[in-house]
């Protein structure tokens, strides 16, 4: 009888696991609450109206259409019974497994202030990106209709969190608001638009060297972003953001300050860290159950430099490792050595022809780093059609500063 594998989550980790087992004679079921895989590193491009959702998302069935050993299920997982080895989804269907891979990803963490979410959405999904896009575009429209004083909260854009997502959003919003959108408005001048990036630590991009962090800061400031380090958020409500250094009136607040593992992890009996990530063994399975694996953002995995970061390369490496382990297990062979994370480098884009990169200890910044970022990210997109489309859109935006996706469709209404 064929072995049955269930993979929960069609992010980088889940998809990598399934694709690595393409030629294996096993029955694979992949379950996700949506019907598409999202290339998360480019979500901010959708949020800032530079790209369309279809440029960075691909139907799961389309990715796996040629993989005959896979069954794709769209549904919310509501139960996991490790004793019976079964998974239940919201409509009551149940699926049995021999091995289970949990790759549910992560969501935003508001550090105990969940009421802030209503006024400062985060960015993890296509729906999040469209919500942020609607917020930004709608607030520009409202600012155009009121006097200068009343327009202030609509034209103050506040990003909370100075990690890669926050920095990329701040740079993109500064560019699109000052150089692209204002051409279409008559009453809004560049001096009325303010972009704030709030970071509680002494520097933005704290995972990078002080040198690269400072270069990123200067690049942001050259775009007009006000970078506020050593600044803690104390309250967020409908009027704006209160910090230890003052108050900013704003109707456009974006949360990029923290992540929490998907609550789906709580469906299995496992110890978690402060971020809700499952504490797994060096072979990525639960200590008490070697048939349940956790990978990606939902897993706490130690490596030589600390814990594996919640980035695409980590999730993909974990997925490929688990696939190799299961292949050897099903063939009756000894299991591989402990998972070893290979840090291929980190990079963050700040704006047009502005980026930083740390590749195996070598540091790059400026146009070269930006070109490296473009090539690497486009190369990782799932389909050729998406690669071609994204490159064409970026090239058009680069030479014209004209975005083609500034549409308000009613995703966010208040």
């Amino acid at each position: 009888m064929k072995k049955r594998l269930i993979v929960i989550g069609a992010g980088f980790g889940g998809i990598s696991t399934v694709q690595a087992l393409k030629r294996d004679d096993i029955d694979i079921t992949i379950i996700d609450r949506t019907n598409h895989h999202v290339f998360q590193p480019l979500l901010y491009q959708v949020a800032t109206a530079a790209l369309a959702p279809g440029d960075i998302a691909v139907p799961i069935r389309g990715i796996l259409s040629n993989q005959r050993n896979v069954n794709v299920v769209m549904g919310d997982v509501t139960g996991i019974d490790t004793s019976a080895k079964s998974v239940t989804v919201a409509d009551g269907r149940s699926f049995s497994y021999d091995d289970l891979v949990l790759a549910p990803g992560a969501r935003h963490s508001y550090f105990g202030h969940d009421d802030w979410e209503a006024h400062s959405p985060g960015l993890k999904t296509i729906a999040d990106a469209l919500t942020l896009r609607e917020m930004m575009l709608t607030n520009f429209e409202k600012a155009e209709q009121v006097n200068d004083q009343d327009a202030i909260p609509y034209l103050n854009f506040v990003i909370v969190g100075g990690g890669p997502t926050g920095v990329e959003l701040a740079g993109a919003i500064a560019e699109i608001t000052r150089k692209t959108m204002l051409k279409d408005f008559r009453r809004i001048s560049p001096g009325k638009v303010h972009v704030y990036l709030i970071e509680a630590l002494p520097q933005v991009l704290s995972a990078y060297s002080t040198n690269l962090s400072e270069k990123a800061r200067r690049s942001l400031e050259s775009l007009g972003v006000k970078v506020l380090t050593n600044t803690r958020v104390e309250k967020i409500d409908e009027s704006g953001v209160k910090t230890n250094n003052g108050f900013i009136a704003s109707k456009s607040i974006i949360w990029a300050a923290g992540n929490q593992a998907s609550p789906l992890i709580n469906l299995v009996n496992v110890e978690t860290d402060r971020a809700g990530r499952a504490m797994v063994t060096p072979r990525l399975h639960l200590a008490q159950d070697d048939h349940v694996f956790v990978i990606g953002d939902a897993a706490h995995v130690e490596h030589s430099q600390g814990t594996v970061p919640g980035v695409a390369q980590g999730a993909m490496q974990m997925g490929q490792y688990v696939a190799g382990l299961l292949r050897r297990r099903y063939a009756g062979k000894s299991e591989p050595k402990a998972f070893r994370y290979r840090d291929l480098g980190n990079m963050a884009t700040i704006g047009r022809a502005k980026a930083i990169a740390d590749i195996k200890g070598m540091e790059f910044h400026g146009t070269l780093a930006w070109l490296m970022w473009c090539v690497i990210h486009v190369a990782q997109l799932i389909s050729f059609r998406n690669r071609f489309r994204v490159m064409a859109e970026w090239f058009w935006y680069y030479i014209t500063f004209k975005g083609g996706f500034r549409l308000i469709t009613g995703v966010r209404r208040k």
Side-chain angles (χ1 to χ4, degrees):
M1 184 176 178
K2 289 184 180 180
K3 293 293 185 180
R4 298 161 300 177
L5 172 66
I6 292 181
V7 177
I8 299 177
F12 288 107
I15 289 292
S16 294
T17 304
V18 173
Q19 289 184 321
L21 294 168
K22 181 176 182 177
R23 293 180 174 82
D24 292 80
D25 188 25
I26 59 177
D27 286 330
I28 304 172
T29 298
I30 183 168
I31 305 173
D32 196 279
R33 64 190 309 174
T34 72
N35 78 328
H36 54 271
H37 167 84
V38 179
F39 191 79
Q40 285 194 342
L42 294 182
L43 269 175
Y44 82 96
Q45 294 267 354
V46 175
T48 54
L51 293 175
D55 291 334
I56 68 163
V58 183
I60 301 166
R61 293 183 184 279
I63 298 172
L64 303 174
S65 61
N66 294 324
Q67 192 164 337
R68 300 303 179 187
N69 61 351
V70 177
N71 176 39
V72 178
V73 175
M74 189 178 90
D76 281 306
V77 173
T78 56
I80 298 175
D81 187 335
T82 55
S83 298
K85 290 190 173 183
S86 67
V87 173
T88 305
V89 295
D91 62 8
R93 286 177 294 170
S94 182
F95 303 87
S96 297
Y97 67 83
D98 292 295
D99 290 281
L100 173 66
V101 176
L102 301 178
R107 287 294 292 171
H108 333 296
S109 172
Y110 291 83
F111 308 112
H113 299 280
D114 291 346
D115 56 306
W116 293 357
E117 185 172 10
H119 312 290
S120 56
L123 183 60
K124 285 291 183 183
T125 67
I126 288 290
D128 293 338
L130 293 177
T131 294
L132 295 180
R133 186 183 75 177
E134 298 269 307
M135 177 178 70
M136 180 178 68
L137 297 176
T138 299
N139 286 345
F140 257 87
E141 293 292 339
K142 290 180 177 178
E144 180 80 350
Q145 306 303 318
V146 298
N147 60 50
D148 288 354
Q149 187 63 32
D150 291 340
I152 291 175
Y154 295 115
L155 298 178
N156 282 345
F157 294 84
V158 181
I159 298 94
V160 182
T165 298
V167 166
E168 290 172 345
L169 276 167
I173 290 174
E175 280 195 334
I176 195 171
T177 54
R178 293 169 179 269
K179 296 183 178 181
T180 304
M181 291 180 60
L182 290 189
K183 300 174 184 177
D184 300 333
F185 291 86
R186 301 291 177 262
R187 300 178 58 186
I188 303 175
S189 62
K192 296 178 182 179
V193 180
H194 300 282
V195 181
Y196 300 86
L197 178 62
I198 297 176
E199 171 54 54
L201 297 176
Q203 66 179 50
V204 296
L205 298 174
S206 58
Y208 292 79
S209 69
T210 301
N211 176 52
L212 285 180
S213 172
E214 185 58 29
K215 290 183 184 301
R217 180 183 187 125
R218 289 201 296 266
S219 293
L220 286 168
E221 290 174 341
S222 72
L223 293 171
V225 178
K226 298 181 180 181
V227 181
L228 308 177
T229 51
N230 292 308
T231 301
R232 299 186 311 276
V233 172
E234 298 178 346
K235 184 179 180 180
I236 298 175
D237 59 25
E238 67 278 359
S239 62
V241 181
K242 180 184 177 183
T243 75
N244 61 308
N245 291 321
F247 175 77
I248 305 171
S250 177
K251 299 290 186 182
S252 300
I253 308 167
I254 302 172
W255 187 264
N259 293 316
Q260 187 82 8
S262 167
L264 188 145
I265 292 300
N266 298 324
L267 295 178
V268 296
N269 180 27
V270 60
E271 180 186 358
T272 59
D273 64 10
R274 293 177 61 185
R277 297 177 299 183
M279 306 295 291
V280 296
T281 70
R283 287 188 170 85
L284 307 184
H285 57 68
L286 305 189
Q288 72 277 19
D289 191 339
D290 64 0
H291 292 285
V292 179
F293 299 81
V294 185
I295 63 175
D297 293 355
H300 178 110
V301 182
E302 299 286 346
H303 78 109
S304 59
Q305 303 300 316
T307 57
V308 177
V311 294
Q313 58 175 303
M316 294 169 73
Q317 289 177 32
M318 289 185 212
Q320 291 160 2
Y321 171 86
V322 169
L325 184 153
L326 291 175
R327 181 179 297 113
R328 294 183 65 86
R329 176 182 290 182
Y330 296 157
K333 299 179 180 179
S334 61
E335 295 185 356
K337 295 180 180 179
F339 171 75
R340 184 177 179 182
Y341 175 61
R342 302 181 306 281
D343 189 349
L344 304 179
N346 297 293
M347 50 183 59
T349 183
I350 299 152
R352 185 176 183 264
K354 294 181 176 70
I356 62 170
D358 182 346
I359 311 295
K360 296 186 180 299
M362 296 184 291
E363 297 184 348
F364 306 88
H365 65 90
T367 303
L368 175 59
W370 184 80
L371 289 172
M372 292 169 62
W373 182 91
C374 289
V375 170
I376 289 173
H377 282 76
V378 171
Q380 287 181 332
L381 286 172
I382 293 295
S383 70
F384 173 80
R385 178 179 61 86
N386 277 20
R387 294 189 190 112
F388 178 81
R389 178 184 293 175
V390 171
M391 186 60 76
E393 293 293 345
W394 272 348
F395 180 72
W396 177 249
Y397 180 68
Y398 184 88
I399 63 175
T400 67
F401 275 115
K402 292 182 179 179
F405 305 99
R406 300 197 304 274
L407 306 177
I408 297 174
T409 61
V411 170
R412 179 183 188 270
R413 291 182 179 175
K414 286 190 175 181

